[in-house]
């Protein structure tokens, strides 16, 4: 009953925001561009989609099939939490692993990258971190294995490099004009699976690696990330993040040269946000026309509003870490330039 009342109150807040009149334009000269009518309509449209999401639902078995759908449902029951809490993290997990290797063909001339930007609206103390950990743990395991493999490869490279340098020195002692063999090739940097508290420059550097088809950023508090892009310094990153939603190229230039370049990108962002903070973001975009909020950044996030289930201990023991690691291996084996068609 309490959960129903909370959802009713949040719905009323959103309805009130939808019915707010548009702010009147000032005749004085603004220091930054104000939102025009089209911008405000887009904001209100996104707010309406969010309100409708409160009334809709989806079965995980319809999205992931009967096997994986049921695994996610069972894992949610063990917490317990609404199975919809698993939807966006699972989509982001899959999208980050296949990355630029796969595109979805909507129709002729229209392809979409494997990029998932989603927000999960939940109040405090609603198992946000544990749910994120279901997918964060296998990603951390993959990252640890990649770091260890790179450390081993780099140690072998240093050994080969030392032997090569000694051989070159011996050849030069015998004959200064002697041709030296080719040096050993250094290993590529460690594979990255996810990023945390990362700058857009670092994202460009990581994604430029040939062994990084995709990335994911998990945020326990997505509102903090939104706010960081409005602070001094973050405002320049905001339009560059907007480009990544559509998988566009990213390039980081230094004063002397191009530091990093990725022709295609696949960076997924999944996070949790408290409903009242999300409502504040909507309200701020609608009311404060002299901000960068009118670019529609938050409107690019797919909203999911799971039911808040009161915690109650149960004896269910469900761990899908090994299943997710096995799935990750299968996704890693997907060949580049794979094209999926929408039924």
């Amino acid at each position: 009953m309490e959960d129903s009342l909370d959802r009713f109150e949040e719905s009323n807040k959103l309805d009130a925001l939808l019915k707010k009149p548009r702010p009147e334009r000032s005749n004085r000269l603004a220091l930054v561009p104000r939102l025009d009518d089209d911008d405000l309509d887009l904001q209100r449209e996104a707010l309406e989609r969010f309100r409708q999401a409160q009334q809709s639902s989806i079965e995980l078995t319809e999205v992931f099939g009967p096997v994986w759908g049921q695994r996610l449902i069972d894992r949610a029951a063990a917490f317990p939490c609404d199975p919809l809490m698993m939807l966006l993290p699972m989509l982001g997990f899959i999208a980050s692993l296949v990355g630029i290797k796969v595109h979805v063909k909507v129709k002729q001339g229209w392809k979409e990258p494997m990029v998932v930007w989603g927000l999960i609206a939940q109040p405090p103390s609603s198992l946000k971190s544990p749910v994120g950990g279901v997918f964060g743990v296998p990603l951390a395991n993959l990252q640890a294995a990649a770091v260890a493999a790179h450390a081993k490869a780099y140690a072998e490279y240093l050994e080969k490099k030392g032997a090569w340098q000694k051989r070159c020195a011996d050849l030069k002692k015998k004959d200064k004009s002697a041709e030296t063999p080719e040096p050993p090739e250094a290993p590529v940097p460690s594979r990255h699976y996810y990023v945390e508290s990362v700058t857009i420059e670092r994202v460009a550097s990581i994604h430029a690696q040939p062994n990084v088809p995709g990335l994911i950023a998990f945020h326990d508090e997505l509102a903090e990330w939104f706010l960081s892009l409005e602070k001094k310094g973050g405002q320049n990153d905001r339009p560059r993040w907007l480009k990544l939603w559509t998988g566009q190229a990213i390039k980081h230039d230094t004063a002397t040269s191009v530091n990093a370049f990725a022709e295609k990108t696949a960076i997924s962002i999944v996070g949790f946000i408290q409903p009242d903070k999300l409502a504040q973001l909507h309200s701020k975009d609608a009311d404060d026309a002299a901000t960068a909020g009118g670019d529609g950044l938050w409107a690019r996030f797919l909203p999911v509003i799971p039911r808040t289930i009161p915690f109650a201990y149960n004896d269910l023991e469900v761990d899908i870490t090994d299943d997710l690691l096995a799935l990750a291996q299968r996704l890693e084996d997907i060949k580049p330039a794979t094209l999926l068609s929408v039924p």
Side-chain angles (χ1 to χ4, degrees):
M1 180 67 179
E2 182 179 350
D3 177 53
S4 299
L5 289 173
D6 289 341
R7 291 169 64 83
F8 179 73
E9 290 176 1
E10 293 297 338
S11 181
N12 283 344
K13 290 179 184 177
L14 293 171
D15 283 335
L17 286 172
L18 278 169
K19 295 174 182 177
K20 272 191 175 183
R22 292 173 177 161
E24 295 183 1
R25 296 182 180 274
S26 172
N27 292 326
R28 61 185 177 85
L29 180 64
L31 296 178
V32 295
R34 298 179 64 87
L35 299 179
D36 58 23
D37 288 347
D38 289 339
D39 289 328
L40 290 171
D41 287 340
L42 286 173
Q43 302 291 1
R44 293 174 181 275
E45 181 183 340
L47 187 58
E48 173 64 19
R49 290 201 312 269
F50 182 80
R51 188 189 66 79
Q52 291 176 356
Q54 289 187 304
Q55 313 301 328
S56 61
S57 185
I58 190 171
E59 294 292 335
L60 295 187
T61 51
E62 296 176 356
V63 180
F64 303 110
V67 176
W68 264 107
Q70 192 58 51
R71 283 176 182 164
L72 295 172
I73 291 172
D74 292 343
R75 185 64 189 91
F79 273 124
C81 69
D82 188 340
L84 282 182
M85 291 270 282
M86 301 287 181
L87 175 63
L88 290 175
M90 182 63 169
L91 289 175
F93 179 84
I94 295 171
S96 67
L97 290 168
V98 298
I100 61 174
K101 295 189 294 183
V102 176
H103 279 74
V104 178
K105 179 182 178 182
V106 181
K107 64 179 182 179
Q108 191 66 33
W110 182 0
K111 294 190 300 182
E112 290 291 337
M114 292 294 285
V115 175
V116 174
W117 285 19
L119 59 86
I120 306 162
Q122 281 287 277
S125 302
S126 54
L127 299 175
K128 298 190 293 292
S129 295
V131 169
V134 170
F135 305 90
V137 168
L139 285 173
N141 289 348
L142 290 169
Q143 189 65 66
V147 170
H150 178 264
K152 181 180 179 181
Y154 193 73
E156 293 174 351
Y157 160 72
L158 291 178
E159 185 178 345
K160 291 178 181 178
K161 183 180 179 181
W164 169 78
Q165 290 173 332
K166 185 177 183 305
R167 185 180 179 189
C168 290
D170 291 342
L171 288 172
K172 289 297 183 180
K173 283 182 181 180
K174 295 179 180 179
D175 183 0
K176 291 184 178 181
S177 62
E179 292 187 5
T180 56
E182 291 292 325
E185 186 177 351
V188 297
S190 174
R191 163 81 155 94
H192 288 258
Y193 290 90
Y194 61 95
V195 292
E196 294 178 343
S197 303
V198 67
T199 63
I200 198 71
E201 292 82 9
R202 183 58 181 150
V203 168
S205 177
I206 293 173
H207 214 330
Q209 296 177 200
N211 59 347
V212 181
L215 293 164
I216 187 169
F218 273 119
H219 294 276
D220 272 356
E221 295 294 340
L222 197 54
E224 293 182 3
W225 182 71
F226 284 130
L227 293 175
S228 71
L229 297 180
E230 295 184 4
K231 295 178 180 178
K232 186 177 181 180
Q235 293 170 328
N236 295 330
D237 289 348
R238 192 174 178 115
R240 300 178 73 184
W241 278 106
L242 285 168
K243 289 176 57 179
L244 297 181
W245 182 64
T246 53
Q248 295 184 47
I250 182 172
K251 183 165 72 78
H252 172 53
D253 299 315
T254 62
T256 57
S257 64
V258 176
N259 184 264
F261 173 70
E263 183 179 4
K264 297 178 181 179
T265 59
I267 303 172
S268 294
I269 305 173
V270 176
F272 295 90
I273 190 168
Q274 296 177 30
D276 59 333
K277 291 185 178 179
L278 181 60
Q280 290 172 11
L281 285 172
H282 284 283
S283 179
K284 183 176 182 181
D285 280 357
D287 294 342
D288 190 0
T291 69
D295 56 17
L297 177 64
W298 58 260
R300 285 166 166 78
F301 282 76
L302 175 67
V304 170
I305 312 173
R307 292 176 296 115
T308 302
I309 298 178
F311 177 78
Y313 177 80
N314 60 58
D315 294 326
L316 296 176
E317 296 182 358
V318 183
D319 187 352
I320 61 173
T321 300
D322 290 341
D323 298 311
L324 288 169
L325 288 171
L327 174 62
Q329 184 57 58
R330 293 179 62 188
L331 295 174
E332 291 273 9
D333 294 338
I334 292 179
K335 296 180 179 180
T338 297
L339 189 63
L340 303 178
S341 298
V342 175

